[in-house]
Amino acid sequence: MPKPAANVNSSFLKFAMRKSIDFPIVNCAAALEIRDGLVQSARICLNAVYCNPYRVTNAEDFIKGKPIDEAIADDAGAAAVSAAVPLPYNKFKIQIAKTLVKRAILACDNVRA
């Protein structure tokens, strides 16, 4: 696996009922290339919300070319779940996924190599 470029920051967040090795309710991984304070490229993926890891390209596209701040991250989280179709007993995962996307994006901006 190649080493990420110097201007790529990444984060991983897991939401589970308990800590340690518990299965996730939702988790999110993000890798953002940030140059001159703007997102140049983004990869954001949710897991435990679909049968496979699920890239949220709506959120990736939304933040490209923008600076990262609380409002942008919140809107990207909303974009990530805009097409979500919950099953009868998992509707709660949508809010968790939205929040994890937001937090993963903000965490990428706070990472300093």
Side-chain angles (χ1 to χ4, degrees), residues 11-91:
S11 66
F12 176 81
L13 300 170
K14 172 182 168 181
F15 181 87
M17 297 307 287
R18 297 175 298 206
K19 302 295 177 194
S20 187
I21 62 169
D22 198 18
F23 291 103
I25 303 295
V26 178
N27 62 36
C28 181
L32 308 181
E33 178 186 2
I34 303 169
R35 199 174 324 124
D36 299 324
L38 301 176
V39 176
Q40 302 301 309
S41 66
R43 296 280 181 139
I44 305 169
C45 186
L46 291 168
N47 195 15
V49 296
Y50 189 62
C51 60
N52 297 315
Y54 183 79
R55 275 195 52 205
V56 287
T57 55
N58 287 352
E60 294 172 357
D61 293 340
F62 180 81
I63 62 172
K64 286 181 189 171
K66 296 182 175 129
I68 295 176
D69 63 24
E70 188 91 16
I72 295 292
D74 192 53
D75 289 345
V81 297
S82 63
V85 179
L87 297 174
Y89 298 104
N90 71 357
K91 186 176 180 179

